[in-house]
Amino acid sequence: MRKPLVAGNWKMNGSSAGNKLLLNEILAAANSFPSVDVALFPPAVYLHQVQQALKDSNVAWGTQNVSSYHQGAYTGEISATMLHDFDCKYVLIGHSERRCLYAELELDQLVLDRIIAEKYNMAISEGLIPIICIGESPEEHAVGKTEEVIGRHLDILIEHQGVKSLSQAVLAYEPVWAIGTGRSATPEWAQDVHSFMRERVAKYDVETAQGLRILYGGSVKGNNAAPLFSKPDVDGGLIGGASLDANEFVKICQSAQKQVLG
Ligand code: PEP
């Protein structure tokens, strides 16, 4: 059985005082989800605070983005090697808010695919676990292009990096229409897409596909996590808004834990 992962993406939220409360509440409940991998993704300026709070716990951490370069004249960027100074384990790559909001919309799709592949490569070569986010836009969803879009992303990633690299990575299916909208995919929809993703990877390598964790992200809350996580190809969640509320986030982690216990 694949070990579930629940990842909390704080996006551009937080303050030193607020983080302290949130971290304390999550830590106080951490023994209620011992069989689940849990990771938090604060804004990079809070990495030190998160590292200090979580270093002796079963909760890991990472960043919301990483540069595809090692160092140099890249103002505002953060390199993979810098993340080691903060003992980061994971990094999010290709989150739709980065794809859509940060010039990346202006980029040719092929250039964007290349940048994401380079970031992925950088993370793997630096020993970080990339969580690659892919999902269809509302427009693509409306015209039934989900599998076409997801399949294309997966093929490009595998062709650039080799299928075996996915054994050191995590995939997240994040339909853009579900992110921050309160409109989660149904468990059945998520299962269908996750199963399609796993089969696509299996065309290249069955063993890698079977071991690959595929998270669902998009308006997961305490009250809808359990049915999503009950699906056989849903290996946990990437949680945005609800990761800022300790009660909600802990409930989500506990739903993943119940799934492990059966
Ligand atoms: C996300 O930021 O990856 C996300 C899934 O957000 P939300 O849970 O708020 O939809």
Side-chain angles (χ1 to χ4, degrees):
M1 190 186 180
R2 294 176 292 271
K3 190 174 185 186
L5 169 63
V6 176
N9 174 16
W10 290 3
K11 313 194 189 203
M12 196 178 73
N13 293 293
S15 64
S16 297
N19 300 346
K20 192 171 170 193
L21 294 174
L22 179 57
L23 289 163
N24 283 343
E25 287 185 56
I26 293 171
L27 282 174
N31 60 5
S32 65
F33 42 83
S35 318
V36 179
D37 282 340
V38 174
L40 301 179
F41 296 81
V45 289
Y46 296 124
L47 276 178
H48 179 68
Q49 182 185 24
V50 168
Q51 177 193 28
Q52 292 310 307
L54 301 181
K55 64 184 175 189
D56 297 320
S57 78
N58 58 345
V59 180
W61 58 94
T63 50
Q64 300 169 15
N65 189 24
V66 68
S67 171
S68 55
Y69 299 101
H70 278 291
Q71 60 175 42
Y74 303 104
T75 302
E77 291 289 279
I78 299 174
S79 76
T81 41
M82 290 170 189
L83 301 189
H84 287 309
D85 282 341
F86 297 96
D87 297 326
C88 290
K89 182 167 181 185
Y90 298 93
V91 61
L92 300 181
I93 294 181
H95 191 280
S96 63
E97 287 159 16
R98 293 220 55 90
R99 290 184 196 256
C100 297
L101 299 177
Y102 291 97
E104 295 173 4
L105 185 68
E106 310 296 322
L107 295 173
D108 180 85
Q109 187 61 47
L110 288 175
V111 177
L112 179 53
D113 288 336
R114 182 178 53 74
I115 292 173
I116 288 173
E118 283 171 3
K119 290 183 178 192
Y120 174 84
N121 206 20
M122 175 64 81
I124 300 249
S125 65
E126 285 295 327
L128 295 160
I129 300 174
I131 301 180
I132 296 277
C133 307
I134 49 183
E136 78 281 16
S137 69
E139 296 76 24
E140 290 160 340
H141 185 71
V143 296
K145 283 195 168 172
T146 303
E147 293 192 352
E148 183 186 323
V149 171
I150 304 277
R152 193 184 67 81
H153 279 299
L154 285 176
D155 287 344
I156 288 170
L157 195 66
I158 292 169
E159 277 154 24
H160 275 90
Q161 312 301 326
V163 67
K164 288 287 183 197
S165 72
L166 281 173
S167 59
Q168 299 163 67
V170 175
L171 290 180
Y173 169 52
E174 291 226 309
V176 181
W177 48 269
I179 296 180
T181 59
R183 186 184 155 216
S184 170
T186 62
E188 293 70 29
W189 178 273
Q191 168 57 25
D192 283 352
V193 179
H194 285 221
S195 153
F196 167 79
M197 291 166 79
R198 201 175 302 288
E199 278 167 24
R200 190 72 162 220
V201 176
K203 284 195 178 145
Y204 296 85
D205 187 78
V206 172
E207 199 187 342
T208 303
Q210 280 167 353
L212 181 63
R213 290 191 287 189
I214 307 178
L215 312 184
Y216 167 75
S219 298
V220 179
K221 310 279 178 224
N223 62 6
N224 65 4
L228 283 160
F229 296 167
S230 73
K231 295 296 177 190
D233 287 298
V234 178
D235 305 311
L238 178 50
I239 319 300
S243 70
L244 299 168
D245 177 322
N247 283 332
E248 284 288 305
F249 189 66
V250 165
K251 249 193 231 168
I252 294 168
C253 297
Q254 289 169 341
S255 299
Q257 173 68 26
K258 280 197 195 114
Q259 211 43 55
V260 178
L261 298 179

